[in-house]
Every structure is written in structure tokens, then in C-alpha cells.
Amino acid sequence: MRPIDLASRSGVALRRALQGQQLRRVTNTRPYSNGPLLPPTYEKLYNKYSEVRRVLGARRLTLAEKILYSHLDNVEESLLSNTNNGSDIRANANLKLRPDRVNMQDASAQMALLQFMSCNLPQTAIPASIHCDHLIVGEHGADDDLSAGIKTNREVFDFLESAARKYGIDFWPPGAGIIHQTVLENYALPGLMMLGTDSHSPNAGGLCTITIGVGGADAVEALVGAPWELKAPKIMGVKLSGTLNDWVSPKDLILHLAGLLTVRGGTGYIVEYFGSGVETLSLTGMATVCNMGAELGATTSIFPYTEASKRYLKATRREQASRNADALQSFPGTGAAEDAFFQFKADEGAQYDELIEVDLSKLEPHINGPFTPDLATPLSQFKKTVQEQQWPAKLSAGLIGSCTNSSYEDMTRVESIVREAEKAGLKPKADFYITPGSEQIRATLERDGTLETFTQAGGIVLSNACGPCIGQWKRHDGVAKGTPNAILTSYNRNFRGRNDGNPETMNFLASPEIVTAMAYAGSTTFNPMTDALTTPSGAEFRFPAPRGLEGPETPFEQGKQTLAVLSQPPDPSVRVAISPSSERLALLEPFDPFPESDLTGMRVLVKVAGKCTTDTISAAGPWLKYKGHLPNISANTLNTAVNAETGEVNAAYDYDLDPSQEKMTIPELAQRFKERGQAWLVVAEHNYGEGSAREHAALQPRYLGARIIVCKSFARIHETNLKKQGVVPLTFADQADYERIGAGDEVETVGLYDMLRNGGVGEVKLRVKRRRRGSKIGEGEVVEIPVRHTVSRDQARFILAGSALNLLARGG
């Protein structure tokens, strides 16, 4: 890869003036009769919207439906098939969609690009971007960490940049920023639809953009120009009223909702915010709420287009985009009816499948965790809860920033209380880390003196990258692995072991200002709204209510030009950089197709107890280096899963060939099964695959020989990822049947092959021959377990072909 500090970026100058690259020809507008001008993207959106109105008539539509349905490949086919002639679209229609663009972070982009390369196309069918944000370890500070990250990951960055040049994909180099913040600043626009290979891609919903987190195979579908399929989500309305009080931030709204709905409460829904309270929120505050909508299991989240949206577009040098949005909303079309206008808000009278009302004036700060983002505790009750649960009273570290909370508003609110603490002679008692979300944010905070305030207080400013939020954190505070300790972060996710690899680190999620105040106290029982600290002079100090600015008084700084986007037309002469001897990158071999019969002779590899997230199935941290090498990364498959039958972590037994039942790891047994050609399945509980849009959590089991996952329920992204890789996701018709199947059982399917051949139509059962379990069950007992599926016609074709990629590569 080119040295970052000396980079020469051909083609950048032509685009630097226009930060909204998704409207690649935004100036190529065409005039309508006597109306305003629309750029091509909005022209297409409006034409599709007119079709939607023709098909659905006067039906009242939510904002999410307007944007989603206006991206359909064939409006009539999607909205009128299996929907009672359009009356029951939600949860029934299979929407075939045409996204406007795809955005990929470096860890997931590797596998997505390897799959795209297999299709032998000269360029992507729609605009796309690559963001190098996941592979930089947070340790000493921005400059040192970035240099070390580039040195360690040069091979991967070279591959990503060469692929970007070859296929005409925007390339954001390491240090440029976290994907979600960079997308918000440059690509998100009202009314667009994007796919992102990361579960927190819905961040862009704060700018009225439908953005859905997907796996790499889904991204490849869009990149090759195929329609992307989504089961029509239900719509959950969240009506906001009132105004946030002093210590309360938009982060507290989503922390409150996470506690209310749990990590499964939004599954199958788009969460749409509306009401008078929306107008009181900043654009970046709305993005924070949408970002953490992933913690509800929601398909995506979205806010209307507001005055704050316009101010943000102006601050990010995209005033033309704001004018374009206004032009679309004012374009009258062919009729004078109100529905002839595309409005970035729900129709009056639109109905929601579920409605929640929140008075922002009554919210208080929340702290969520540990180990799950939906364990919500109001700040006023947190001290008591810490004491009752015997959680650590000492705070080891406070970490603010990340893709969730690194806005100018967030950071200036924190700055306001840090300045007051500094005046009183106070320093943070816990380690204090700050992660800017992008180079634009970092440069602006540096220009306006905010970063200097943090560093003078003893804070460590990390690189513009994910860092500790995703496990890329090397601690130097003497907390040994296995030692219980507490940290507070303004991040979005806090699964066990996620941040530092220590399963006993308790990560509590809160707003940046709450995290910072508690870092000064060094205690988890401190309440900055009511409690006081003692200054070096013995005086009593109370934090004032935080005060920040929605955005800078002058436009955002663009930062170092060496960290600007590399944007250029596709160049077929570029050779994609992959060494045949690489341990980090490997070309993909096609998966074998589904047998021309039902599956027989399968074995249950392991029965998993409790939460089984994508972190559990495919851990990040040190394994990130193998994201482009499927054989190597497969060695971590399910390596933190809990064996339901023994209570052990990462323990499995070969009941067929090992009479002594010698313990081995789960991936070791999976590899043994692969080597002897033994197909297998996993049995699990609720919300299997919760968490990141980590395609490897589907790829790795498939590579090792998995054919089926059967569980009580799935997380949406992961269920789709499994289908795209040829693994059949099934759920128990009766959840009590989880108890009737276990590790080592022999399984055959009944009706599965016919269901797939019939395009997803048909019932499926599992015939289970149970192994001996003590004296309770006789060896050889056979039980039949009815299961359910959500396989669509196209997904059945993917599974029969062996994977979606197999089908796409042959033009299917």
C-alpha cells in the first residue's frame, strides 16, 4: 500500500468539492415542464414512487414504506404477490429491491470482494465504498496506532485498494474514519437506500436514509446488479414529544428503548420515529438512535427529514443536496393531490404495526449492561443496582466516541464539563480514551480546541477507527484476563469479552458525558447529577449540566488530504494484490450444491446454551487478521459457545468414533467432521446470530460442513446470511423440542428437499435418532421434530445451488 503520509491520489481533486458521491452526476439534472430540477437519483425515486401510488392507490404510507417501496425492481410483482392484492404487504411480501449504493468496512469487504471477483465482472453495477476502520488497534494514541496498524495490515490494505482501483470503488484509507460516520458525512441523503456490510449501517437513518446491514453475499447481489430480496418488514412507530432535559441525550432514548423492547423486540421491524419531539433533536443525535437500533434486532431505523438535517448538510458542504431534497418534495408530478408529492415524512393517517410513545421531557440518563445492551438501568437507580448485583464499584476506564457517539455535539458537551473539572484542579481517576469518528470530526475538534482540552486532562485520543469498540484494544492498566472489572463506554454493543478479550470485563453503555463524569470519579456508583467530588484543595465540586453545540460555527474541516477518499473510474489493468502464499487472503472455492435428496446421516455437532451471538460464532479481536482467509479463520468457529449438556465453554465430543468421549474444542470436532465428509448441524436457543452483520459466522460453519442450524429463533441478518451460504436455518415449531435433540444425535430431514424444489413451499421435519444419555433414554430412540422455515423462492435456489454466489457466478 502507498505510504499514507505521502499518498498521491489520482482523481481525488475532481470529486473533493462534492462530498455526496452517491449522486455521482448530481449536476446532470434535467428540467421538467415548469417544475424544479431533480438529479437522476431523485428522478428515479420519484418515478418509482409514482408507480407505488398507482398500485396502492390512496393507502396511507409510513416514511419507511415510501422510501423502501420506491426502490423496488418490479413494484406490482413485489407489492401484489402473496399480499391479498396489496392489503397485507408487511411481513408477507418478498421485496426485490434496487439499492442506490453499497458501503463496506475493511473486515467484511475482504470476503465481499473475494466473492465479487468470482463473478468476473469489470466493475460494480452501483456505486460502492470501502472503509479501512476495523483493523487498527487502540493502544498508545492516534499516530502510533495508525502507523502500527498500517504496518501490520499492509497486505490487506493493498488488496482492498487494488480491488477498489480495478472495480471503481471509493477507497477510504486507514485513519480516514469509521464507516458509519464517514457514510453519514458523505453518502447519506434523504430518500436513498443503501446496504452496508456492518450491522450498525442504519446509522444513516438519522439523515432519512434507508440503510440496512447485510452480509457480504447480499452486498455482492447488489454489486453485480441483481435485485436484493427482503421480507417486507413490519413498521414500529415511535412517537416522540417533549424536549430532552440537561443531562439527557439522544443516546438515553435508545438505551431506554433497548430496555423496553429487548434485543429481540425489533426483529422483523423497521423502527420509524415521528412526532413533535423529533424536531428538537440534532441530526447526529438522530443518527445515534438509528445506530443502536441494531441492538433491538430491527431491520433498520429512520427519522424524517428536518431542519436539523438541512443544517447538517450545509455544515458538511452539501447544500446542493439539501436543495435537491427540497426540489423533490415540491415537485408536483401529474396531479394536484397531496399524494403526488414525495414528502420525507409519513402520510397523515399512516398506521403502525406497533406504537410506542416517549415523552423526551420525562427521560433520564440510562446505563445499560453488563454483557448485553438491553439491560437498562436509570442513572438514579444505578448505584443501588451496582451494590445489589455486586458489580465492581471501581471504574477501570471510560471510553467515548466510536461510530455511535463521536459527533461534534457529543464532544463539545463533554468538553464543557471537562473544562469545569479542569478549572477545579480535577483529573480523571480512570483511564480516559477518546475515539473520533472520522478525520473530518477529528480535524474540526482540533481546530476548535476540543481535542486539546481532552489531552490536557490526560485523555488519550485514539485513531479515527473502531478500536476498542470491536475488540481492537490493547490495555496497559494491569487488568489481567479473567479479572472482573468495570468500564463505561459510549459504544453500542457490550457482549462478554468483546472489547478487550477478557470475559470478566463488564462494559456499561452510557452517553459520552455520563461516561466522562464517571471517569473523573473513578467509580461506577457516582451520579454526576446529584453527587460531588472533592478537589485537591478540599472543596466540593459538582459537574454543571453539559452544554454543547449542534455543529461547528463554520463548516467542518476536511482534515489531512492524505486521508481523503481515493475515487476513480474502474481500471481493468490493475492487478488485485493477493499473494498465493498469503496467510491472510485466500481465493474462494465454490461450495458443493445441495444433494438431490433429503439430508441423511447428519450429526449434531454441539447443542448451545444461552446467548449465541456472531461474536460467539466467529470472534473478532485477534481473529480479524484472517477475515480474508476462510480456512484460517474457521479455526475459531463457535469457540466461545457454551455446551448445553456439560456447561463447558468450547467443548465438544465425538460420540461416534471416540468411546472415551475425549474432550476437544468445537472447531476441532467440526474440522474432524469435515475431513471425514460428515455433514453436521447446530442446535441453539433464542436470537441465534445476534450482533454484527458478520458473514463469517455463516461462512465458517458452511466451510466446515454445516448444513442446518436449528434453534428457537434467529437474528434477521444472520438468518439471511446462512441462506446465502447454503445453510438451511430452521426453527422449532414447538420450542420445547429443544430438549429432545442433543449433541451426537443422528439427524435426517423429511420434506426439506421437496420444499427447496418447490421454491420454499412445504413442511419440514427432522427425524432424530438419539444417542444414549445415561439411563434416561435408550440408544436408538427415534423422534420426529416439526420445524419451521422462512425460505423464499430465490433463497431456495441459492441453497440448491450451494450458495448465492454459485448462482450469481453462473448468471442465475
Side-chain angles (χ1 to χ4, degrees):
M1 200 185 92
R2 307 171 329 286
I4 290 297
D5 289 336
L6 301 175
S8 173
R9 303 183 178 281
S10 59
V12 172
L14 296 177
R15 296 205 181 185
R16 189 164 291 143
L18 291 176
Q19 293 299 304
Q21 279 90 354
Q22 72 278 38
L23 296 182
R24 285 190 165 184
R25 291 174 297 278
V26 72
T27 56
N28 294 343
T29 55
R30 76 172 179 82
Y32 291 81
S33 55
N34 294 315
L37 300 177
L38 293 180
T41 303
Y42 279 177
E43 179 183 341
K44 180 176 68 173
L45 179 70
Y46 183 81
N47 289 337
K48 282 289 183 180
Y49 172 73
S50 299
E51 287 188 54
V52 171
R53 285 301 188 188
R54 176 180 59 80
V55 170
L56 297 182
R59 172 178 167 173
R60 304 293 79 198
L61 298 176
T62 67
L63 170 62
E65 288 179 301
K66 287 183 186 180
I67 299 175
L68 199 62
Y69 299 167
S70 296
H71 283 85
L72 287 168
D73 181 53
N74 184 312
V75 173
E76 286 195 13
E77 179 184 356
S78 284
L79 296 184
L80 300 183
S81 300
N82 194 38
T83 64
N84 191 21
N85 200 35
S87 298
D88 300 308
I89 294 172
R90 300 174 191 171
N92 292 308
N94 288 319
L95 306 179
K96 293 187 176 181
L97 298 154
R98 294 281 185 180
D100 294 300
R101 71 175 299 118
V102 171
N103 307 303
M104 300 172 282
Q105 41 94 337
D106 51 358
S108 56
Q110 295 172 60
M111 196 58 66
L113 289 170
L114 289 167
Q115 292 177 86
F116 178 77
M117 289 164 58
S118 300
C119 297
N120 296 313
L121 296 174
Q123 65 184 81
T124 61
I126 59 175
S129 59
I130 298 167
H131 304 258
C132 297
D133 61 356
H134 272 55
L135 300 178
I136 308 300
V137 175
E139 184 177 7
H140 300 296
D143 293 340
D144 290 345
D145 294 348
L146 182 58
S147 296
I150 292 170
K151 181 179 179 180
T152 302
N153 301 290
R154 183 175 298 276
E155 178 183 9
V156 172
F157 295 147
D158 280 348
F159 162 68
L160 295 174
E161 183 180 343
S162 63
R165 288 181 179 275
K166 185 176 184 70
Y167 300 116
I169 300 171
D170 284 359
F171 179 76
W172 294 83
I178 305 173
I179 177 173
H180 311 305
Q181 181 63 33
T182 307
V183 166
L184 188 69
E185 294 170 353
N186 296 276
Y187 300 127
L189 284 182
L192 263 63
M193 179 187 172
M194 305 189 293
L195 301 183
T197 61
D198 190 282
S199 59
H200 293 103
S201 298
N203 187 79
L207 194 45
C208 198
T209 306
I210 287 281
T211 309
I212 300 175
V214 299
D218 294 85
V220 171
E221 273 189 276
L223 291 175
V224 303
W228 178 72
E229 185 176 348
L230 175 71
K231 178 69 74 173
K234 295 181 179 181
I235 312 294
M236 180 184 295
V238 180
K239 184 177 181 179
L240 303 181
S241 61
T243 305
L244 296 171
N245 290 314
D246 284 345
W247 275 95
V248 187
S249 74
K251 179 66 166 275
D252 297 302
L253 168 60
I254 191 61
L255 293 176
H256 165 70
L257 288 174
L260 186 67
L261 293 169
T262 79
V263 292
R264 300 200 305 270
T267 302
Y269 286 87
I270 291 177
V271 181
E272 179 172 318
Y273 296 85
F274 69 103
S276 59
V278 167
E279 295 292 338
T280 69
L281 301 177
S282 67
L283 183 283
T284 50
M286 293 188 284
T288 292
V289 174
C290 290
N291 180 298
M292 271 198 70
E295 272 50 71
L296 311 177
T299 301
T300 193
S301 302
I302 192 166
F303 277 85
Y305 180 60
T306 69
E307 290 300 315
S309 310
K310 295 182 182 181
R311 294 193 294 271
Y312 184 78
L313 288 171
K314 180 178 180 181
T316 52
R317 295 180 170 85
R318 293 183 289 167
E319 286 184 88
Q320 181 59 51
S322 179
R323 288 191 285 268
N324 291 339
D326 290 340
L328 175 61
Q329 293 191 102
S330 63
F331 183 67
T334 57
E338 182 180 354
D339 288 350
F341 295 84
F342 189 107
Q343 300 294 301
F344 291 117
K345 61 181 180 180
D347 290 339
E348 191 72 32
Q351 297 297 306
Y352 296 94
D353 297 286
E354 189 171 335
L355 181 64
I356 298 171
E357 298 191 26
V358 178
D359 183 346
L360 299 177
S361 304
K362 295 181 180 178
L363 274 181
E364 67 171 294
H366 277 64
I367 299 177
N368 287 26
F371 305 137
T372 183
D374 60 352
L375 182 57
T377 306
L379 177 61
S380 60
Q381 301 174 28
F382 193 67
K383 178 178 180 177
K384 178 182 177 182
T385 305
V386 168
Q387 294 168 341
E388 290 176 345
Q389 298 297 321
Q390 297 185 335
W391 293 333
K394 178 184 177 182
L395 183 66
S396 298
L399 302 98
I400 66 170
S402 82
C403 68
T404 317
N405 279 108
S406 60
S407 70
Y408 192 86
E409 181 180 39
D410 288 326
M411 294 302 179
T412 54
R413 279 172 65 87
V414 170
E415 180 186 23
S416 71
I417 63 174
V418 169
R419 285 186 180 276
E420 295 304 312
E422 286 293 294
K423 290 178 184 176
L426 293 170
K427 297 288 183 183
K429 292 183 179 179
D431 289 348
F432 184 43
Y433 294 91
I434 304 96
T435 299
S438 70
E439 172 60 10
Q440 181 167 271
I441 285 287
R442 187 211 63 79
T444 307
L445 293 174
E446 181 180 55
R447 179 195 69 190
D448 296 347
T450 306
L451 290 188
E452 184 179 5
T453 299
F454 295 157
T455 55
Q456 286 182 346
I460 299 174
V461 178
L462 299 175
S463 182
N464 312 321
C466 299
C469 185
I470 60 156
Q472 296 287 65
W473 182 26
K474 189 174 291 186
R475 298 179 68 167
H476 291 281
D477 54 5
V479 176
K481 188 171 183 178
T483 303
N485 72 106
I487 64 174
L488 256 76
T489 77
S490 68
Y491 303 161
N492 45 36
R493 195 161 280 167
N494 58 349
F495 301 146
R496 187 183 291 272
R498 178 178 176 88
N499 302 107
D500 59 1
N502 179 3
E504 298 304 320
T505 294
M506 300 181 190
N507 178 4
F508 297 93
L509 306 174
S511 68
E513 47 268 45
I514 294 295
V515 173
T516 302
M518 295 179 80
Y520 269 89
S523 169
T524 59
T525 60
F526 178 72
N527 183 341
M529 295 181 69
T530 59
D531 299 343
L533 299 176
T534 303
T535 69
S537 64
E540 188 178 83
F541 171 81
R542 294 180 184 273
F543 281 104
R547 292 284 183 267
L549 298 173
E550 179 186 69
E553 294 180 357
T554 57
F556 284 98
E557 286 289 315
Q558 293 179 301
K560 300 175 183 176
Q561 291 305 301
T562 53
L563 298 180
V565 61
L566 169 65
S567 186
Q568 71 293 304
D571 183 351
S573 69
V574 173
R575 181 180 178 184
V576 177
I578 300 179
S579 168
S581 60
S582 174
E583 293 187 354
R584 297 194 62 176
L585 297 163
L587 295 174
L588 298 174
E589 295 291 335
F591 290 133
D592 55 310
F594 197 89
E596 296 183 358
S597 64
D598 268 288
L599 300 170
T600 60
M602 289 187 295
R603 294 292 187 275
V604 177
L605 175 77
V606 65
K607 181 176 179 178
V608 180
K611 187 185 285 282
C612 192
T613 71
T614 49
D615 282 13
T616 308
I617 307 164
S618 174
W623 294 93
L624 279 175
K625 63 185 177 183
Y626 295 132
K627 284 289 186 179
H629 200 295
L630 185 54
N632 282 351
I633 198 171
S634 293
N636 80 355
T637 304
L638 287 161
N639 69 351
T640 59
V642 177
N643 186 317
E645 297 173 357
T646 68
E648 299 168 293
V649 175
N650 195 21
Y653 300 86
D654 187 347
Y655 294 101
D656 283 345
L657 300 182
D658 191 354
S660 68
Q661 297 184 10
E662 179 183 355
K663 182 170 70 173
M664 61 186 71
T665 69
I666 297 172
E668 284 173 347
L669 180 57
Q671 181 63 36
R672 177 184 287 190
F673 281 2
K674 175 181 172 65
E675 290 169 356
R676 74 180 190 218
Q678 173 71 66
W680 51 268
L681 67 153
V682 169
V683 177
E685 297 199 71
H686 276 299
N687 213 28
Y688 182 85
E690 171 193 346
S692 301
R694 194 165 296 160
E695 184 177 38
H696 295 74
L699 274 165
Q700 292 170 216
R702 178 70 167 101
Y703 171 77
L704 291 172
R707 282 295 188 178
I708 289 174
I709 306 293
V710 58
C711 63
K712 295 179 180 179
S713 64
F714 284 98
R716 175 195 64 84
I717 298 176
H718 188 63
E719 184 177 16
T720 300
N721 285 349
L722 288 169
K723 296 171 187 175
K724 292 292 173 71
Q725 300 305 336
V727 180
V728 183
L730 301 171
T731 56
F732 294 107
D734 181 350
Q735 293 183 6
D737 284 338
Y738 171 81
E739 304 298 338
R740 302 174 71 203
I741 183 172
D745 287 353
E746 182 178 339
V747 180
E748 63 179 278
T749 61
V750 179
L752 176 58
Y753 182 65
D754 286 342
M755 179 273 285
L756 294 173
R757 294 273 294 179
N758 291 331
V761 178
E763 296 183 353
V764 180
K765 295 180 180 179
L766 299 181
R767 183 173 291 134
V768 182
K769 182 179 180 181
R770 307 189 69 178
R771 67 171 176 82
R772 180 179 295 279
R773 293 172 175 78
S775 60
K776 293 183 180 180
I777 300 170
E779 185 175 5
E781 178 191 7
V782 176
V783 296
E784 282 200 350
I785 296 177
V787 289
R788 297 191 176 116
H789 70 87
T790 59
V791 176
S792 70
R793 182 181 61 188
D794 284 352
Q795 290 166 346
R797 295 173 64 221
F798 295 155
I799 294 168
L800 287 171
S803 71
L805 180 60
N806 287 0
L807 200 64
L808 292 170
R810 68 183 190 219

